[in-house]
Amino acid sequence: MANSTKELAELKAYLEKKLEELRQEEKILETMIKLVNEALGSSSFVKASELVQRHTEKMEQEKPAPSTREEKPIEESLITAMQSAEKLARVIVYPKRIEIVFLKDFNINTPPFQNFFVRRLLEGFKRQDEDLIARGEKSPDEIITYNIEEEEGTLKRIIIENYGDKGRIREIKGSLRWTLNRMLERT
């Protein structure tokens, strides 16, 4: 028994020493990672947001005019008012883009369009895509982009490129329905 107790005490001392060495190594590794991140940040490293901006500008320059596209819609639906069934917008889904055509005059500044639909939903999707790009799970040419067309403050059309999957289509349509019905209450 005395022999076993001595061996256990030696084993405990060894394990404690090893654990302390590993903690020291962890601190060194964290410091090294911090230094590498700082070096990357100050060198020619391009942040994901800058990469996205460059790509968006490039895509805008290379984008063909909508009339030259020969894509066929894969889905089309109407957004209607909950109370009156009035037609508010048409949503046309193509393989790589969604077009929202407004059938009723809505002011671009009527809440909650900017705060909810644009900033929370569309910009939220954009942030998700930027995170995926930064992790290497998505290429920069797959990031969601959108263009809001208006005339003198009246919404005419929104084109959403690289919308993603069917889940995002449902979320865009549902959020648009909610947003337009809230906007309708304020007019």
Side-chain angles (χ1 to χ4, degrees):
M1 178 82 174
N3 212 11
S4 172
T5 304
K6 182 181 176 187
E7 288 174 353
L8 287 174
E10 288 173 356
L11 179 60
K12 180 183 177 202
Y14 169 79
L15 290 172
E16 287 174 343
K17 181 181 175 189
K18 190 69 174 170
L19 185 59
E20 185 57 35
E21 289 172 3
L22 290 171
R23 286 185 180 138
Q24 288 296 327
E25 187 175 354
E26 179 185 25
K27 288 178 185 175
I28 292 168
L29 290 171
E30 286 175 352
T31 302
M32 291 171 69
I33 288 172
K34 183 179 174 188
L35 291 172
V36 168
N37 283 338
E38 288 173 1
L40 283 172
S42 64
S43 68
S44 64
F45 181 73
V46 179
K47 293 180 181 175
S49 58
E50 291 174 27
L51 190 60
V52 167
Q53 181 63 31
R54 288 182 196 168
H55 177 70
T56 303
E57 290 169 0
K58 181 181 173 190
M59 291 297 287
E60 288 297 318
Q61 292 170 354
E62 295 175 356
K63 189 187 327 184
S67 61
T68 63
R69 294 182 179 162
E70 295 299 323
E71 285 182 298
K72 292 187 179 182
I74 56 175
E75 180 183 325
E76 195 169 324
S77 57
L78 282 174
I79 303 295
T80 57
M82 289 182 211
Q83 300 294 327
S84 65
E86 178 182 8
K87 295 175 184 174
L88 305 177
R90 180 178 308 283
V91 179
I92 309 161
V93 180
Y94 296 89
K96 293 283 186 186
R97 77 180 189 283
I98 296 174
E99 289 186 28
I100 300 167
V101 179
F102 293 93
L103 304 174
K104 179 170 177 54
D105 288 346
F106 287 102
N107 187 294
I108 194 167
N109 296 313
T110 302
F113 181 74
Q114 292 290 340
N115 283 337
F116 179 75
F117 192 77
V118 175
R119 289 190 188 104
R120 191 166 182 191
L121 182 78
L122 296 177
E123 286 297 318
F125 286 154
K126 198 172 195 176
R127 283 189 297 277
Q128 288 174 0
D129 287 354
E130 288 171 352
D131 289 344
L132 292 171
I133 289 168
R135 292 194 309 252
E137 296 175 22
K138 198 171 204 176
S139 71
D141 61 335
E142 295 175 310
I143 191 167
I144 191 169
T145 59
Y146 60 90
N147 183 35
I148 300 171
E149 298 176 9
E150 50 94 15
E151 272 181 28
E152 298 177 6
T154 302
L155 291 166
K156 295 298 178 188
R157 188 166 74 147
I158 302 174
I159 299 174
I160 304 169
E161 302 277 352
N162 297 321
Y163 56 83
D165 57 16
K166 288 183 181 184
R168 278 192 176 178
I169 296 171
R170 280 191 306 276
E171 203 167 339
I172 288 168
K173 286 172 27 178
S175 296
L176 181 66
R177 178 174 286 111
W178 182 85
T179 300
L180 294 182
N181 275 280
R182 295 296 88 63
M183 291 172 74
L184 192 60
E185 291 171 1
R186 294 175 179 256
T187 57

